[in-house]
Amino acid sequence: MAKITYVEHDGTEHVIDVKTGLTVMEGAVKNNIPGIDADCGGACACATCHVYVDGDWLPKTGSKSAMEDSMLDFAENVEPNSRLSCQIKVSDELEGLVVRMPESQH
Ligand code: FES
């Protein structure tokens, strides 16, 4: 279990306890957080689960696969801390993680 803060583009925060083993995307979808549509259901094939990982958390979320990297090419406003939230597995180590949704997803 990890407490994850999802921040919408307008600054609205949602603090959710997400079970270990789920992805950051699944935590958002199960709790109806706006801004993460996850059209492909987590298959790394849509980029509608794009988030910015806050500050120091980026290394803890693991590294991007080649597939994630190429799918991010289809996302808008990609930054160095961009990730696809369906590719980030929740573990206890992510307690306190903060992710922000890009402007294009609201
Ligand atoms: Fe489609 Fe993440 S849910 S790429």
Side-chain angles (χ1 to χ4, degrees):
M1 187 83 89
K3 200 173 283 302
I4 298 180
T5 301
Y6 298 86
V7 186
E8 292 181 57
H9 184 69
D10 67 3
T12 307
E13 292 189 2
H14 306 266
V15 182
I16 308 284
D17 285 320
V18 183
K19 275 194 196 148
T20 300
L22 293 181
T23 64
V24 171
M25 174 279 277
E26 287 168 327
V29 170
K30 282 182 190 299
N31 291 283
N32 299 315
I33 310 266
I36 296 185
D37 289 346
D39 289 343
C40 77
C44 199
C46 73
T48 62
C49 66
H50 177 200
V51 294
Y52 303 122
V53 175
D54 235 33
D56 297 341
W57 286 105
L58 198 57
K60 292 192 180 159
T61 60
S63 49
K64 279 182 268 187
S65 65
M67 195 170 160
E68 180 180 351
D69 225 5
S70 58
M71 191 47 58
L72 273 168
D73 288 343
F74 295 96
E76 289 181 45
N77 308 115
V78 173
E79 301 287 346
N81 62 340
S82 288
R83 290 293 311 270
L84 294 179
S85 58
C86 69
Q87 302 301 302
I88 305 174
K89 279 267 189 238
V90 174
S91 66
D92 294 351
E93 279 159 35
L94 294 188
E95 170 71 24
L97 173 71
V98 179
V99 294
R100 298 173 191 277
M101 277 70 112
E103 186 176 7
S104 50
Q105 289 166 217
H106 59 81

